[in-house]
Amino acid sequence: MNFPEKPDDFRCVTALTPTVCDLCGVGRPAQCADEPIAAVMAAAAKALAGQKVEKLLLFAPDAVGIHLWERFPEKLAAVEALAPVRVPTRVVMPSVTPVCFASMFSGALPEVHGIQEYAKPVLTCETIFNAFPEAGWNTAIAAVQECSIDKIFRKRKATYISTTGDDESLAYSELLLKQRPVDLLLSYATDYDKNLHSTGPFSDKALAAFDQDLVAFQKLCALVDEVWADYNRAVVFCPDHGGHATDDTGTRGAHGKDIPEDMLVYHFYRFMPKKAR
């Protein structure tokens, strides 16, 4: 992989939790051991004139690694046009969905939060889905039924929407934004990961799903700007890991290894101030 960043430029995926908590003035989960991302905090302070974020959307497309952006720089440019603060991010081992999302949204390493393999227990440690509701934020999660995000963050004071697929997850995310007083929304997309496994990371099916992730992100950014126009708001594009081809033909894919294709992702942040009254 030929990425422009140096190894020291990459932040651990655990840095997302303290960053969004501090952006929003919400206390960090108890087990959070990382610190906020300085570049993100500085960008938010500039965009929001030093004020706190009042509404937050997290868009989590599964398995979107740096290798995709390298191959399609025009798509990278399209996402950065919406969310220009790009954070090189290194995920945790094993680089599988429940382990990575547990670290991302707790701020803790796997040996602390407890998921150290591909398993989907309900986390017993604190996460942002404890911290934000306890701070009075109406919180919702829209994800495909039985996926990691649908299962490991249960038993919190959040609204859980279990869907049949990515199209429905996007539709419910839009509905929540339009019709419910939601303050924090996590919207998850799984089709790229699903097709990566079955047909390879650069197959037509996988790339079509990647394109749908980008369309969904564009739609959600536009809708957030419409329905949250009276609030300082942030949107984060935050995949969990990448993926690699498992044979020379590229017709199958996987992840879970400590290799750049699996471990390195970009997170993107967007900040918009509330409209002047």
Side-chain angles (χ1 to χ4, degrees), residues 73-95:
E74 73 281 4
K75 297 179 182 181
L76 173 64
V79 169
E80 287 191 307
L82 293 171
V85 185
R86 178 175 61 176
V87 179
T89 299
R90 184 180 299 276
V91 305
V92 292
M93 278 292 292
S95 49

Side-chain angles (χ1 to χ4, degrees), residues 3 9 11 15-17 23 28 56 66 70-71 77 83 85 97 111 114 125 145 147 176 180 199 222 237 239 259:
F3 49 89
D9 294 333
R11 288 296 304 267
L16 183 142
T17 280
L23 286 171
R28 303 176 194 175
L56 175 63
I66 282 182
E70 286 184 330
R71 184 168 291 202
V85 185
T97 299
E111 56 266 30
C125 72
Q145 187 173 19
C147 75
L176 285 165
R180 290 181 63 90
T199 61
F237 184 107
I259 59 176

Side-chain angles (χ1 to χ4, degrees), residues 59 79 82-83 213-221 235-237:
F59 179 65
V79 169
L82 293 171
D213 288 343
L214 304 187
V215 170
F217 185 63
Q218 293 166 351
K219 287 182 176 180
L220 289 171
C221 285
V235 179
V236 189
F237 184 107

Side-chain angles (χ1 to χ4, degrees), residues 2-276:
N2 298 311
F3 49 89
E5 294 82 10
K6 299 176 182 178
D8 290 345
D9 294 333
F10 286 80
R11 288 296 304 267
C12 182
V13 71
T14 52
L16 183 142
T17 280
T19 301
V20 298
C21 286
D22 285 21
L23 286 171
C24 299
V26 170
R28 303 176 194 175
Q31 292 84 3
C32 177
D34 210 335
E35 292 299 321
I37 302 163
V40 175
M41 301 302 296
K46 181 178 180 180
L48 305 179
Q51 298 179 341
K52 294 295 184 183
V53 171
E54 299 169 290
K55 300 279 189 177
L56 175 63
L57 171 72
L58 303 169
F59 179 65
D62 203 307
V64 174
I66 282 182
H67 60 290
L68 282 168
W69 306 114
E70 286 184 330
R71 184 168 291 202
F72 302 105
E74 73 281 4
K75 297 179 182 181
L76 173 64
V79 169
E80 287 191 307
L82 293 171
V85 185
R86 178 175 61 176
V87 179
T89 299
R90 184 180 299 276
V91 305
V92 292
M93 278 292 292
S95 49
V96 294
T97 299
V99 178
C100 294
F101 277 133
S103 286
M104 187 189 304
F105 295 132
S106 69
L109 294 172
E111 56 266 30
V112 175
H113 62 63
I115 303 181
Q116 300 186 68
E117 60 183 358
Y118 188 83
K120 305 175 187 178
V122 175
L123 285 167
T124 58
C125 72
E126 291 184 9
T127 71
I128 64 170
F129 305 110
N130 299 92
F132 276 75
E134 288 169 5
W137 286 57
N138 291 319
T139 300
I141 299 173
V144 175
Q145 187 173 19
E146 297 297 311
C147 75
S148 298
I149 281 183
D150 187 50
K151 298 187 74 172
I152 68 175
F153 301 115
R154 291 278 173 170
K155 299 185 179 179
R156 273 82 179 170
K157 294 179 181 178
T159 297
Y160 299 93
I161 305 295
S162 300
T163 73
T164 60
D166 283 0
D167 287 347
E168 193 172 88
S169 294
L170 175 60
Y172 272 107
S173 296
E174 293 173 324
L175 191 65
L176 285 165
L177 289 167
K178 291 176 181 177
Q179 297 190 4
R180 290 181 63 90
V182 65
D183 304 309
L184 166 60
L185 173 61
L186 169 59
S187 182
Y188 170 69
T190 187
D191 278 354
Y192 176 74
D193 179 75
K194 180 174 67 177
N195 286 292
L196 176 154
H197 284 282
S198 62
T199 61
F202 298 111
S203 70
D204 289 345
K205 286 185 177 180
L207 294 178
F210 176 46
D211 286 339
Q212 285 304 114
D213 288 343
L214 304 187
V215 170
F217 185 63
Q218 293 166 351
K219 287 182 176 180
L220 289 171
C221 285
L223 183 57
V224 159
D225 285 346
E226 176 186 339
V227 301
W228 287 348
D230 292 330
Y231 301 91
N232 292 326
R233 54 202 180 273
V235 179
V236 189
F237 184 107
C238 49
D240 50 345
H241 55 71
H244 64 275
T246 56
D247 56 44
D248 291 339
T249 66
T251 56
R252 292 289 186 275
H255 50 85
K257 293 185 176 182
D258 189 2
I259 59 176
E261 290 83 356
D262 291 6
M263 295 291 290
L264 303 182
V265 301
Y266 286 142
H267 286 182
F268 302 88
Y269 289 75
R270 169 184 176 87
F271 301 104
M272 296 296 289
K274 57 189 170 186
K275 66 182 181 182

